[in-house]
Amino acid sequence: MASADKPINTDVPEKDVFTLHFLQSLSNLRRQNTFNSPEKTNDRVKKIKKAAYVSMARAAGGTNRLWSRALLRRAAKENSKVVRFPRRKKRVTCLRRRRSNRRDPVEEEEAERLRNLVPGGGGMETSKLMEETAHYIKCLSMQVKVMQCLVDGLAPK
Amino acid sequence: MDVSEKDELRNGDDTTVNYDESANNPPPDWRVSGSNPVSDSYPTENLMMETLWYDPANVQAVGYGGFNGGGNASSSSSFRGNIDRSLEMGWSLPNLLPPKGGNGMFLPNAGSFLPPSMAQFPADSGFIERAARFSLFSGGSFSDMMNQQQPLGNPESVGLFLQGQCPSSEVNVVGVAHNDASAGMKETNVRSSEQGNKQNVSEDTQSSGGNDQKGGETSSKGFDSKKRKRNKQNAEADQSQRSQQSEEEPDNNGGGDKKRNDEQSPNSQGNKTNSGKQQGKQASDPKDGYIHVRARRGQATNSHSLAERVRREKISERMKFLQDLVPGCNKVTGKAVMLDEIINYVQSLQRQVEFLSMKLATVNPQMDFSLEGLLAKDALQLRAGTSSATPFPPNMPMVYPPLPHGFMQQTLSSMGRNVSSPLSPPINGGYKRQEANGWEGDLQNVIQINYGAGDAPHDSQAAAATEASLPSSNMKVEP
């Protein structure tokens, strides 16, 4: 275990990147199922939600983050698409260390809940999980802002 | 006199505790208790008396500790003159590092350890000498050990050992402390002095030398092999107990540990405490058995405990980072509550996304997310001020007549960079329509709608943020 403390890097791209990706995915959605009937709101909602998450994952750095990878992989699975990620060698060591390091009864239950929330959190040790959570929170809040602006922009129309 | 003094010292154990606390206040007073063989009947000076009884040259260190207790006594002032001299004399012997500064001042910690130990140790001058050096050394090293990021269990355990154990175990602690010092501290003097001490106390230092076995830093040569084996067995026993962490052991031992504390020091320290504990038990009458338990608890198998500590530090650092992110977590302390808050926040964010997507779906039932329309509004939010008229990249699928506003141009260009071809058709179709209507008016409306009078991008973003936060707060109330 290295004691070198690299500064935690949770830089999140600006809002325009998120907006871009979101609009992109939305328009993709529209193209895929051109005009859903208004009654099937749930489907639309789900699609929009999925588009939101996927676009967020892509905007937030694509495959650089564990959670974005997991998100994209999950989405691709639903669409039965094959997603390829650049291999990262660090994965092996993380898994190997998982057994020994991820123990602390006080925080483990909380970490368990976090892992369920954050996509891709199952295979991470706690410190890495917290880093991913921080980035995920940032991206989520950015996405929320974008969507809020969108809604507000569209509403008066 | 000796026995009576000892009895008084023992009785004064309670008072020594008080001394410990008060000893910290008047640091210079400790110097006082000097080696003058004063047989006055100062009750507070009984500690000093005991120290005085011993060889002044050797006992200076001991007296030092005792002085901490007795330093508070007002009567000690009479000794000051002599004591300073004798103290310095005494200090030349062990030549222990004065922890800070060149004077013979010891940290009050040393004193805190000494008085009770003094009460319990047999009146052996050689022993006292060792004890003095050891306590002084440990006192000095404790602070440094505390300051540095050494495993905290060690100093405490060492001190505890000091208090409750017999000379052999005490010397073990000396070895332990020395190892600690040598492992991480800058107190190289101690090492040399300890080596000098070790020559005097050959059989006792053997165990500590065995402790150094893995550390290999101090000059623990020619130690008893039996004790060495015992140390190793103890270390192994501990490791087997923590079999979960055992796999870290080879990692730490194999030099993969890049921590500032070398792997050697944790291992050696673990061994030391084990051997010290054992010897404490084996040696004659450990006065306070409970101290052993405490030491054991504070001193986990060091390689594992160190790794655990590093890991915990990592986690706590990240928790702090998260605390800054999650709003309203500044007052909350404690990992569990913080994690609860974080989890709640993440859940609320996810719920917001879901809610907003629902809203989007209802607001725009046709899902006609005409990009140009959306972009027109969003462009304001994004980079309204930056009107860097970036020319359209040649690969941009949509090439439109020059846009009236730079920001629109910029967003389109940025979009163009990332945009894939599917986007072009809708953009083309929608854009022309939009442009024809003079979307400047739309923009103005949108500006007012979204931001009131917001002009600057920061204001817009802030306004957007506030807008987002307001509904978010509402959303939080909702189930």
Side-chain angles (χ1 to χ4, degrees):
Chain A
M1 211 193 306
S3 69
D5 288 337
K6 299 169 243 168
I8 306 173
N9 178 26
T10 51
D11 294 337
V12 161
E14 301 232 356
K15 201 158 67 161
D16 48 358
V17 180
F18 277 88
T19 320
L20 199 62
H21 281 82
F22 188 45
L23 294 177
Q24 199 173 341
S25 62
L26 282 180
S27 61
N28 272 343
L29 260 185
R30 196 166 68 87
R31 280 183 74 259
Q32 286 171 9
N33 315 322
T34 38
F35 291 96
N36 288 337
S37 50
E39 293 84 16
K40 294 182 187 169
T41 318
N42 284 339
D43 290 347
R44 268 212 325 271
V45 166
K46 282 183 199 158
K47 286 206 179 84
I48 292 179
K49 195 167 84 166
K50 201 171 85 175
Y53 277 111
V54 167
S55 73
M56 178 172 77
R58 237 185 264 139
T63 58
N64 290 339
R65 287 279 161 179
L66 276 174
W67 66 264
S68 58
R69 283 178 164 214
L71 242 184
L72 289 173
R73 194 172 275 154
R74 206 193 291 168
K77 237 188 268 177
E78 291 175 11
N79 295 343
S80 64
K81 275 190 214 162
V82 177
V83 188
R84 296 243 173 87
F85 294 119
R87 288 217 114 211
R88 296 200 312 179
K89 290 179 193 159
K90 276 194 178 177
R91 273 246 164 124
V92 182
T93 54
C94 281
L95 283 175
R96 177 171 62 91
R97 201 181 291 148
R98 187 197 349 178
R99 272 178 300 141
S100 58
N101 277 355
R102 269 210 288 152
R103 290 171 307 99
D104 193 347
V106 178
E107 57 188 43
E108 266 319 297
E109 30 178 306
E110 311 280 343
E112 207 49 49
R113 283 162 58 184
L114 248 189
R115 278 198 196 93
N116 293 337
L117 277 183
V118 176
M124 285 190 270
E125 77 170 35
T126 314
S127 59
K128 185 80 176 146
L129 176 71
M130 324 233 350
E131 201 176 325
E132 294 287 320
T133 310
H135 195 259
Y136 186 60
I137 286 178
K138 271 195 189 171
C139 292
L140 260 184
S141 53
M142 189 70 76
Q143 184 73 22
V144 163
K145 280 184 209 164
V146 162
M147 291 178 73
Q148 187 66 47
C149 292
L150 262 183
V151 167
D152 291 342
L154 286 176
K157 255 193 169 183
Chain B
M1 176 177 163
D2 184 22
V3 177
S4 66
E5 284 173 350
K6 275 195 199 166
D7 290 338
E8 286 170 349
L9 279 176
R10 283 200 206 96
N11 294 337
D13 275 351
D14 300 334
T15 56
T16 56
V17 178
N18 302 333
Y19 286 148
D20 298 342
E21 294 165 357
S22 52
N24 294 330
N25 300 336
D29 285 343
W30 57 260
R31 296 184 116 207
V32 173
S33 36
S35 57
N36 287 346
V38 178
S39 58
D40 296 337
S41 59
Y42 295 94
T44 57
E45 288 178 355
N46 284 333
L47 290 170
M48 296 191 295
M49 302 277 276
E50 171 126 4
T51 67
L52 296 178
W53 180 84
Y54 296 119
D55 184 9
N58 295 333
V59 169
Q60 289 313 317
V62 174
Y64 172 67
F67 296 162
N68 268 333
N72 299 326
S74 56
S75 53
S76 55
S77 59
S78 59
F79 298 122
R80 249 178 221 142
N82 298 330
I83 289 172
D84 287 345
R85 267 181 273 121
S86 51
L87 270 175
E88 279 153 14
M89 242 176 27
W91 278 117
S92 62
L93 223 186
N95 192 20
L96 278 186
L97 51 191
K100 325 267 182 196
N103 56 3
M105 299 251 320
F106 294 93
L107 300 168
N109 293 339
S112 66
F113 293 120
L114 262 188
S117 66
M118 302 244 344
Q120 295 150 10
F121 297 147
D124 179 18
S125 63
F127 167 74
I128 292 298
E129 168 186 347
R130 275 176 269 136
R133 293 200 202 100
F134 170 58
S135 62
L136 284 169
F137 164 79
S138 59
S141 61
F142 284 164
S143 66
D144 282 345
M145 279 195 274
M146 300 281 192
N147 293 339
Q148 302 183 8
Q149 292 173 8
Q150 288 285 343
L152 291 179
N154 273 340
E156 297 159 2
S157 60
V158 168
L160 292 171
F161 272 56
L162 240 193
Q163 291 179 14
Q165 295 182 12
C166 306
S168 57
S169 57
E170 185 206 28
V171 178
N172 278 338
V173 187
V174 180
V176 174
H178 278 296
N179 286 336
D180 291 344
S182 58
M185 317 259 189
K186 317 149 191 172
E187 299 158 357
T188 54
N189 291 339
V190 176
R191 227 177 292 167
S192 56
S193 63
E194 179 61 1
Q195 294 176 9
N197 290 343
K198 280 180 182 171
Q199 293 165 8
N200 296 336
V201 199
S202 57
E203 75 279 7
D204 287 329
T205 53
Q206 281 175 2
S207 58
S208 56
N211 293 335
D212 298 340
Q213 185 63 19
K214 282 193 183 175
E217 301 184 22
T218 58
S219 68
S220 54
K221 296 151 191 165
F223 295 109
D224 194 1
S225 59
K226 208 186 340 173
K227 293 188 181 175
R228 217 176 300 157
K229 282 179 197 165
R230 201 184 307 136
N231 295 341
K232 278 185 183 169
Q233 285 168 5
N234 292 339
E236 287 167 13
D238 277 355
Q239 293 176 12
S240 63
Q241 285 172 7
R242 294 164 194 162
S243 55
Q244 298 166 350
Q245 294 169 328
S246 60
E247 58 190 15
E248 286 186 23
E249 183 70 12
D251 288 342
N252 289 334
N253 289 338
D257 192 2
K258 298 171 193 167
K259 289 175 253 175
R260 198 163 56 82
N261 312 320
D262 348 323
E263 43 201 280
Q264 293 173 352
S265 58
N267 291 337
S268 59
Q269 285 161 359
N271 292 340
K272 278 174 243 163
T273 47
N274 293 336
S275 70
K277 275 179 298 188
Q278 258 200 3
Q279 293 194 359
K281 287 174 196 165
Q282 296 163 4
S284 55
D285 45 293
K287 295 282 180 170
D288 304 326
Y290 67 91
I291 291 181
H292 301 287
V293 175
R294 242 191 291 161
R296 199 180 302 131
R297 182 162 41 98
Q299 177 78 42
T301 310
N302 272 83
S303 60
H304 306 322
S305 71
L306 259 191
E308 270 295 314
R309 186 167 292 111
V310 168
R311 174 176 163 266
R312 257 185 239 121
E313 281 171 8
K314 257 191 190 176
I315 290 181
S316 62
E317 176 194 348
R318 269 132 214 219
M319 289 278 305
K320 278 185 209 149
F321 191 77
L322 275 172
Q323 216 171 6
D324 298 335
L325 269 187
V326 177
C329 270
N330 301 328
K331 308 142 194 169
V332 175
T333 50
K335 273 196 283 192
V337 190
M338 257 306 297
L339 279 171
D340 266 341
E341 281 294 313
I342 292 169
I343 288 172
N344 287 341
Y345 189 62
V346 169
Q347 276 173 346
S348 79
L349 278 178
Q350 285 177 341
R351 266 183 264 130
Q352 274 182 45
V353 168
E354 188 165 348
F355 181 82
L356 281 172
S357 66
M358 252 181 5
K359 215 169 164 188
L360 258 182
T362 56
V363 158
N364 204 339
Q366 306 90 12
M367 274 187 33
D368 182 16
F369 299 106
S370 55
L371 276 166
E372 70 293 351
L374 293 172
L375 268 183
K377 292 163 186 113
D378 295 333
L380 293 170
Q381 310 155 13
L382 301 179
R383 298 248 179 118
T386 60
S387 63
S388 62
T390 57
F392 283 13
N395 58 354
M396 200 170 128
M398 38 191 190
V399 180
Y400 295 113
L403 299 174
H405 293 276
F407 63 84
M408 191 60 187
Q409 193 177 10
Q410 186 198 14
T411 50
L412 277 181
S413 64
S414 65
M415 239 199 88
R417 264 179 261 124
N418 303 328
V419 139
S420 54
S421 53
L423 276 179
S424 50
I427 295 175
N428 282 333
Y431 186 76
K432 287 178 190 156
R433 188 180 359 117
Q434 188 72 358
E435 185 188 8
N437 296 339
W439 46 272
E440 296 177 10
D442 279 350
L443 291 176
Q444 297 294 330
N445 292 337
V446 173
I447 288 177
Q448 288 168 5
I449 289 169
N450 283 339
Y451 318 114
D455 297 330
H458 293 294
D459 288 344
S460 68
Q461 288 191 4
T466 52
E467 285 181 4
S469 63
L470 279 177
S472 69
S473 61
N474 294 335
M475 281 182 235
K476 277 180 186 169
V477 176
E478 295 165 9

